Amino acid sequence: MIKSVCKAVLFLGLCLSTLIVSASARPLTGVQEIKLNVSPLGHYSKQCGLTREAFERALLGSIPEGDIRLSNSSSYWLHTRVTTVVFEETNCVSNVEVTLYANTRYYNPATQQELSGRVELWRGGGLYSSVNDSHQVQVNSALRKLGRKLYAAWEKDQL
């Protein structure tokens, strides 16, 4: 009986230590440079006044200069995709997705090979709808908010 109680306590201790280690894992720790990737805009995006340059300014303008730098050769990349449709010729609807990925190498024991792949570190987005005239402002505002959320998550992970 004492052995089984000791085993149960040991098992519980291992489970709790695993939870503590998992809870303290911070995915954005050490991210200093990112590469920005904005998916090409379609016909409807342009019809609604959306531009790649405005996306870059809105998204990165929320991040204080020097904390996270843009780089052409980072293993971290921020992928931005805005998919837009138009209905009744004056209404725009855009799905906005922003994801921070890390390129990494890992060992696959099943194949006994070292492989490379991407890991999702952070994600944000939403669905936005408005008339043509105000859609650019609405989407750019959403991207600024996403940039602030990313920065807040990054800042928290640097502590």
Side-chain angles (χ1 to χ4, degrees):
M1 171 134 175
I2 292 177
K3 285 184 180 181
S4 60
V5 170
C6 288
K7 286 180 182 178
V9 169
L10 180 61
F11 177 74
L12 181 60
L14 288 172
C15 289
L16 288 175
S17 66
T18 302
L19 286 173
I20 290 168
V21 169
S22 297
S24 66
R26 297 179 177 164
L28 302 179
T29 300
V31 174
Q32 299 298 314
E33 294 183 343
I34 60 172
K35 182 177 180 179
L36 182 62
N37 178 15
V38 178
S39 289
L41 299 177
H43 168 73
Y44 292 125
S45 295
K46 293 174 185 171
Q47 184 177 331
C48 293
L50 305 179
T51 66
R52 175 190 170 100
E53 294 77 19
F55 290 174
E56 291 177 14
R57 283 192 308 274
L59 187 59
L60 298 175
S62 305
I63 299 172
E65 195 171 317
D67 286 340
I68 302 174
R69 295 175 302 280
L70 279 180
S71 171
N72 290 328
S73 62
S74 177
S75 61
Y76 300 100
W77 47 286
L78 189 61
H79 182 74
T80 304
R81 178 175 37 210
V82 178
T83 307
T84 304
V85 295
V86 174
F87 66 97
E88 295 179 6
E89 296 186 28
T90 59
N91 296 305
C92 300
V93 178
S94 291
N95 182 52
V96 177
E97 299 173 30
V98 178
T99 309
L100 180 64
Y101 293 105
N103 290 330
T104 188
R105 299 179 73 90
Y106 62 94
Y107 178 76
N108 184 342
T111 61
Q112 297 184 351
Q113 293 179 346
E114 187 173 317
L115 302 170
S116 63
R118 66 180 184 189
V119 176
E120 183 179 301
L121 302 177
W122 183 88
R123 173 185 287 267
L127 189 63
Y128 304 93
S129 175
S130 62
V131 295
N132 288 17
D133 296 341
S134 62
H135 198 64
Q136 179 183 21
V137 172
Q138 184 185 37
V139 171
N140 289 346
S141 175
L143 285 166
R144 273 191 298 282
K145 288 176 185 174
L146 288 170
R148 285 193 292 270
K149 285 181 182 180
L150 171 60
Y151 181 71
W154 177 87
E155 198 171 38
K156 183 179 118 193
D157 283 0
Q158 304 314 304
L159 301 176

